[in-house]
Amino acid sequence: MVKKRIVIALGGNALGKNLHEQMLAVRETAKAIVDLVEEGHEVVISHGNGPQVGMIQKAMDSLIKNEPQYGKVPLSVCVAMSQGYIGYDLQNALRETLLERSIVKPVSTVITQVIVDEKDKAFENPTKPIGSFMTKEEAQVLMDKGVKVIEDAGRGYRRIVASPKPVDIVEIDTIRTLLDAGQIVIAGGGGGIPVMVRGNRLKGAKAVIDKDFASSTLAQLIDADCLIILTAVEKVAIHFRKPGERWLSDLSINDAKAYMKEGHFAPGSMLPKIEAAVEFAESAKDRFALITLLEKAKEGIAGKTGTVIK
């Protein structure tokens, strides 16, 4: 097998919904990632943070109600916090799994800032769900307070914030250096900390960048061969959960664009994954994206399962 430079974008199902679930989930996640490392692939890991960043912001909001002297904590700082504590659990689970297989390889988490354009129209139209799912009644309480909420793909209600597209990654040289030194790197957690450039200053933005688009940008900037987007299904389907449902093993860029135009993929769910996969696959010759389950990543790279976009 040809060794590849891979960016793995972990979905929320790989991290659990709270701290206890996360500590258990990362153990299984680490096994799937180390399977690829064991085969000689270079690996960079990014991850989502929807439940975690929502939990952190809720906790911070509760704190200042009782202790107002601490002041409101910006969403960008909450994203940074989530990168730190998810990275802590994930890198330790990876280290333990590597040593169990007699592999000595350092793992580092990079607190990653991602530059966005302050003129991005996404700031005018928030669409990115964050935090835990709510009932309609719970959502209505927030909406009465002016908080933007949407129904999320039939799974319940969630808060929404702006989701601008990533432009560049501030710490990209650090990520490249660690990767070239043979380390496993965890970077771009939660889509990265969204920042806007103001002269020499980086100002945090009230937004959450979609982790799949950030992963695509990261993969392009480190000249990766493959972007693996891990999700809750083994393959991508058209007519999903409808008559005529069809699972796809190979998907050309043109067909993917046609299916998106026809509305086959749910916004906030599979659609951004397909968009990010297409963006990476068409960014350079011989690059491809794979969408599959976490536990099928090794088989997917071997061409045995998953949906390959190229």
Side-chain angles (χ1 to χ4, degrees), residues 83 91 108-113 171 174-175 178 185-189:
Q83 286 187 357
Q91 72 183 39
S108 296
T109 299
V110 177
I111 302 301
T112 314
Q113 300 174 95
E171 291 77 19
T174 301
I175 296 166
L178 290 168
V185 185
I186 303 165

Side-chain angles (χ1 to χ4, degrees), residues 52-205:
Q52 293 85 358
V53 76
M55 178 186 71
I56 290 168
Q57 188 166 56
K58 187 175 181 179
M60 293 298 101
D61 288 347
S62 296
L63 171 65
I64 62 172
K65 284 181 182 178
N66 298 318
E67 304 286 347
Q69 70 271 20
Y70 286 109
K72 189 168 179 62
V73 178
L75 183 56
S76 57
V77 175
C78 295
V79 174
M81 290 179 180
S82 75
Q83 286 187 357
Y85 101 75
I86 292 171
Y88 163 69
D89 276 345
L90 189 52
Q91 72 183 39
N92 283 339
L94 285 165
R95 178 182 179 275
E96 183 178 343
T97 305
L98 288 163
L99 291 175
E100 286 172 354
R101 302 190 196 183
S102 300
I103 302 171
V104 179
K105 185 178 279 287
V107 186
S108 296
T109 299
V110 177
I111 302 301
T112 314
Q113 300 174 95
V114 175
I115 296 172
V116 297
D117 184 351
E118 60 184 299
K119 296 180 181 178
D120 192 313
K121 293 190 180 300
F123 287 107
E124 301 171 12
N125 180 34
T127 58
K128 181 65 177 175
I130 65 167
S132 56
F133 290 97
M134 299 176 285
T135 64
K136 186 174 181 179
E137 292 73 23
E138 290 170 331
Q140 189 62 53
V141 172
L142 289 182
M143 288 189 283
D144 290 342
K145 296 178 181 179
V147 177
K148 293 185 181 295
V149 176
I150 62 165
E151 198 284 323
D152 185 6
R155 297 175 291 180
Y157 292 80
R158 297 174 79 187
R159 286 184 54 211
I160 54 170
V161 296
S163 184
K165 290 292 180 67
V167 174
D168 202 358
I169 297 175
V170 178
E171 291 77 19
I172 194 63
D173 287 339
T174 301
I175 296 166
R176 289 186 185 122
T177 299
L178 290 168
L179 189 57
D180 290 342
Q183 298 208 26
I184 298 170
V185 185
I186 303 165
I193 304 161
V195 294
M196 300 177 290
V197 179
R198 299 281 178 84
N200 291 331
R201 181 175 173 237
L202 296 174
K203 177 178 173 55

Side-chain angles (χ1 to χ4, degrees), residues 58 208-209 225 233:
K58 187 175 181 179
V208 171
I209 302 168
D225 302 296
V233 292

